[in-house]
Amino acid sequence: MALVHKLLNSTYILRKCLKPRVASCPFLNTRFADFCSSSLQKPVASPGTASSQRNTAGGLQGHHQSEVALDITSPEEKPEVSFDKAIKDEIKEHFRRLKDDIVNHWIGPEGRPLHEVLLEQAKVVWQFRGKEDLDKWIVTSDKTIGGRSEVFLKMGKNNQSALLYGTLSSEAPHDGESGRSGYCAMISRIRRGPFERKKSYDWSQFNTLYLRVRGDGRPWMVNISEDTDIIQRKNQMYSYFMFTRGGPYWQEIKIPFSKFFFSNQGRIRDAQYQLLLDKISSIGFTLADKVDGPFFLEIDFIGVFTDPAHTEEFAYENSPVLNPRLFK
């Protein structure tokens, strides 16, 4: 369905390209069109002023030659577009990506040899070195429910980090339904494979989440979502706290995966389940400390690593596996 939606969307864009630009803008009147057409034409000099313009032509000639000439397309000329060609190109691209996935699967996980993956002790999953890295994330706030919080994401200094900033407002929306408000979040996009198939992360050989951040002293919630297909439900995630120190210095935060607790719609569940590290779909950061005012969080990279000193498998005893008598 995602592929059909993308093809229909491309058809709509192609049809828009075939329409005249002036006709698509009803607020452009005939006076504006006459002005544009007259400004693009060369002025016709009168016989009396021909000699004076000839004297200044030499001085202005070098200036006009340095400018780039406008490429004016004739109204009769139409761009060559083909709906069938767009479909074929889209299908070829998805089959090419499918071929790459099959080849990489035979080589090893993520196209690397198996022995190289097994010996890996640390791995950088997300880093921020350009705009293409920012496109892998989504920012949202309580504005979706009528709140007043604002959040923005941009590249940091020297394009070596991502800066998440904005203003938090706990004022509830005046809609008569919502009684609480005040949150901002940054969520990673779900990876997509050929034909828009979801791709998950496999962190089963690691035991700790590793971040390098710089904040303003506010506490953040780190949320991890897993892709378990059938049993996955909306708003279910695993969460833990991240406390920033503030100040000009970077801090390295290490959170064991055994510390993440299971929650649903922002509430901690009585029955706790262990995070499935081979089915990770996305990660996110949420600010909801009920302190109105500006905030910022600068992120260098997000990775995972294996801590040999950490041997804990699960930190919560109210688990059906560790204490089955509580759930009889």
Side-chain angles (χ1 to χ4, degrees), residues 169-316:
S169 175
S170 59
E171 181 180 354
H174 304 286
D175 55 0
E177 298 180 0
S178 303
R180 295 182 300 175
S181 182
Y183 71 89
C184 294
M186 170 183 174
I187 309 170
S188 64
R189 296 181 184 270
I190 299 177
R191 292 197 304 172
R192 296 288 178 175
F195 301 101
E196 301 301 323
R197 181 177 57 88
K198 292 192 295 184
K199 298 177 63 177
S200 59
Y201 297 94
D202 186 0
W203 299 344
S204 56
Q205 67 182 83
F206 307 101
N207 62 6
T208 305
L209 183 69
Y210 186 24
L211 308 98
R212 188 171 186 263
V213 301
R214 179 165 57 183
D216 55 357
R218 286 176 176 256
W220 290 76
M221 184 76 75
V222 182
N223 306 311
I224 298 179
S225 302
E226 59 182 21
D227 182 16
T228 53
D229 297 331
I230 299 177
I231 64 175
Q232 185 184 23
R233 297 180 181 179
K234 187 178 180 182
N235 299 324
Q236 286 187 351
M237 61 184 61
Y238 292 81
S239 307
Y240 199 71
F241 305 101
M242 179 181 70
F243 299 95
T244 59
R245 291 196 300 258
Y249 301 106
W250 290 92
Q251 65 179 115
E252 296 181 355
I253 299 178
K254 301 175 182 179
I255 306 175
F257 291 124
S258 60
K259 301 292 185 182
F260 283 84
F261 53 84
F262 179 64
S263 62
N264 188 1
Q265 294 183 351
R267 295 180 176 87
I268 302 176
R269 309 303 297 175
D270 293 335
Q272 291 294 314
Y273 301 92
Q274 195 169 356
L275 177 63
L276 300 178
L277 295 176
D278 59 339
K279 295 291 184 181
I280 304 298
S281 61
S282 64
I283 189 173
F285 304 91
T286 303
L287 177 65
D289 58 355
K290 298 182 180 180
V291 179
D292 296 352
F295 66 89
F296 79 90
L297 178 67
E298 193 172 1
I299 306 174
D300 184 6
F301 65 84
I302 304 168
V304 291
F305 85 106
T306 301
D307 186 3
H310 183 76
T311 58
E312 183 182 53
E313 295 184 2
F314 197 52
Y316 308 102

Side-chain angles (χ1 to χ4, degrees), residues 127-138:
Q127 62 180 353
F128 302 94
R129 300 297 183 265
K131 185 180 180 302
E132 62 277 3
D133 296 326
L134 295 183
D135 296 337
K136 300 177 183 179
W137 294 82
I138 303 173

